[in-house]
Amino acid sequence: MPTNVHMHQIGEVAEAVALSLRTIRYYEETDLVPPSGRSTGGFRLYTDADIERLRLVKHMKPLELTIDEMRDLLTTRDRLADPTTPRQQCDELLDRLAMFAELAEERCQRLRDQLEAGEMISRTLRAELDAATKPSRAQR
């Protein structure tokens, strides 16, 4: 590890990413985001890149990807970013990334549909409430 890399303890990381310590530890246990190091006292230490990876995992959650799917996506991205990955493997990885992009688009559309349904019921309830609480002309 280069000496100029700033390392962050798990509490600082949890606050920066708005995740619980328990969630960050779980992501370590499932090998999604292992810490880049440990302090002499055994505390987990994370780099800025680790923090960005945690943010990415957090943003995957609404898409309801499984842990295995998230790990596969992260591995795919890592291997594509690795300049030593052979060209033939890059083509396969790009196909895999395209599959994940399509899956994310489908899940986003499902979330938009759910939001639209929720907003519709919210408007309906608000209109019912407004109608029920307006004084009638007979009460004036």
Side-chain angles (χ1 to χ4, degrees), residues 76-106:
T76 298
R77 293 177 79 240
D78 291 344
R79 290 181 56 207
L80 277 169
D82 182 350
T84 65
T85 300
R87 178 72 185 143
Q88 181 183 357
Q89 285 183 6
C90 284
D91 291 342
E92 294 167 10
L93 292 167
L94 287 170
D95 288 344
R96 189 122 193 96
L97 190 61
M99 183 273 307
F100 278 114
E102 186 175 323
L103 177 63
E105 290 167 11
E106 290 170 6

Side-chain angles (χ1 to χ4, degrees), residues 5 9 16 22-23 32 43 45 49 54-55 57-58 63 84 96 101 103 114-115 122 140:
V5 173
Q9 289 191 4
R22 183 177 182 185
T23 298
L32 285 177
F43 294 104
L45 296 174
L54 279 167
R55 281 192 181 107
V57 170
K58 180 181 176 182
L63 300 178
T84 65
R96 189 122 193 96
L103 177 63
Q114 291 173 348
L115 178 59
S122 177
R140 289 188 199 169

Side-chain angles (χ1 to χ4, degrees), residues 16-129:
V17 184
L19 289 171
S20 70
L21 298 175
R22 183 177 182 185
T23 298
I24 294 171
R25 288 184 191 114
Y26 176 70
Y27 290 157
E28 175 189 2
E29 291 168 14
T30 57
D31 204 31
L32 285 177
V33 187
S36 287
R38 295 264 181 181
S39 70
T40 54
F43 294 104
R44 293 165 177 84
L45 296 174
Y46 295 86
T47 63
D48 291 340
D50 296 333
I51 291 172
E52 287 309 308
R53 190 175 182 97
L54 279 167
R55 281 192 181 107
L56 178 60
V57 170
K58 180 181 176 182
H59 290 138
M60 287 185 214
K61 289 302 290 176
L63 300 178
E64 297 181 351
L65 297 175
T66 67
I67 293 294
D68 287 338
E69 288 170 327
M70 285 190 270
R71 188 180 310 104
D72 187 12
L73 175 54
L74 292 170
T75 300
T76 298
R77 293 177 79 240
D78 291 344
R79 290 181 56 207
L80 277 169
D82 182 350
T84 65
T85 300
R87 178 72 185 143
Q88 181 183 357
Q89 285 183 6
C90 284
D91 291 342
E92 294 167 10
L93 292 167
L94 287 170
D95 288 344
R96 189 122 193 96
L97 190 61
M99 183 273 307
F100 278 114
E102 186 175 323
L103 177 63
E105 290 167 11
E106 290 170 6
R107 303 271 172 95
C108 285
Q109 184 57 53
R110 187 173 69 202
L111 288 168
R112 283 189 287 274
D113 293 344
Q114 291 173 348
L115 178 59
E116 184 179 331
E119 287 175 336
M120 185 172 54
I121 191 67
S122 177
R123 285 189 302 272
T124 300
L125 295 172
R126 178 56 57 193
E128 288 175 8
L129 179 62

